[in-house]
């Protein structure tokens, strides 16, 4: 079952770090993507904003320092919750892009 | 600039084929994804519904026969429109998964 998203983004907003009841660090943020893509033989500008959640030690290490950063993120798409169908990127890897 | 989504989906609903003013075939559909993914060291069920648009000759060839089909789709994420931020998958390749 494939579910893999690779996206170059700028961190628009980063929420405060929080912890799950089991003590796992969780970082939520809003990401902006802009690029040119081709579809049906035509090139066009593409933009989107996507909410993301990053769980684990790496998230804790980078918390508070992400706003404005440009990153290549890899992860999978899921729904915000059972009742909220908004798409959320669950981050697995982050590669920081030098400015 | 990375913007690539690979997703295994079932076609929930397929709209009627239409054409752009330039005569390009455009097929819009609703896709459902379900899988198990791991995040922060934990495995969990992941589900999402995503709207998709498929432009070009391949879309025309498969129009009307997609509902219920299971496919591996590859494409890029974009916003529905300037005023509608809903995320839409722009399909570039489709691989049909045998039933």
């Amino acid at each position: 079952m494939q579910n893999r998203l690779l996206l170059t983004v700028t961190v628009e907003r980063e929420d405060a770090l929080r912890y799950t009841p089991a003590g796992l660090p969780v970082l939520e943020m809003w990401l902006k993507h802009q690029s040119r893509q081709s579809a049906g033989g035509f090139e066009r500008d593409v933009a989107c904003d996507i909410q993301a959640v990053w769980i684990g030690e790496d998230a804790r290490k980078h918390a508070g320092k992400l706003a404005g950063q440009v990153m290549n993120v890899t992860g999978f798409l899921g729904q915000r919750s059972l009742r909220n169908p908004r798409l959320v990127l669950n981050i697995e890897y982050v590669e920081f892009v030098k400015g």
Side-chain angles (χ1 to χ4, degrees), chain A:
Chain A
M1 283 287 189
Q2 294 180 343
N3 182 344
R4 176 145 313 266
L5 176 61
L6 297 94
L7 205 59
T8 303
V9 296
T10 302
V11 180
E12 292 275 288
R13 197 187 84 220
E14 179 196 349
D15 293 350
L17 187 73
R18 61 182 175 84
Y19 290 83
T20 65
L24 268 176
V26 179
L27 195 55
E28 300 205 37
M29 57 192 112
W30 277 93
L31 309 177
K32 176 176 277 304
H33 169 81
Q34 286 177 308
S35 67
R36 276 189 73 76
Q37 301 290 332
S38 82
F42 287 86
E43 270 229 344
R44 65 184 178 91
D45 290 328
V46 168
C48 61
D49 296 320
I50 188 165
Q51 194 172 7
V53 58
W54 192 9
I55 297 175
E57 190 45 28
D58 285 346
R60 193 194 57 73
K61 257 188 294 181
H62 294 288
K65 298 170 245 170
L66 291 176
Q69 288 272 0
V70 179
M71 320 188 299
N72 291 325
V73 292
T74 302
F76 59 87
L77 270 187
Q79 239 161 249
R80 176 73 198 160
S81 68
L82 277 179
R83 258 166 285 127
N84 182 343
R86 183 195 303 141
L87 294 174
V88 173
L89 168 61
N90 295 260
I91 292 176
E92 293 176 291
Y93 311 107
V94 166
E95 177 206 3
F96 291 94
V97 177
K98 292 289 161 286

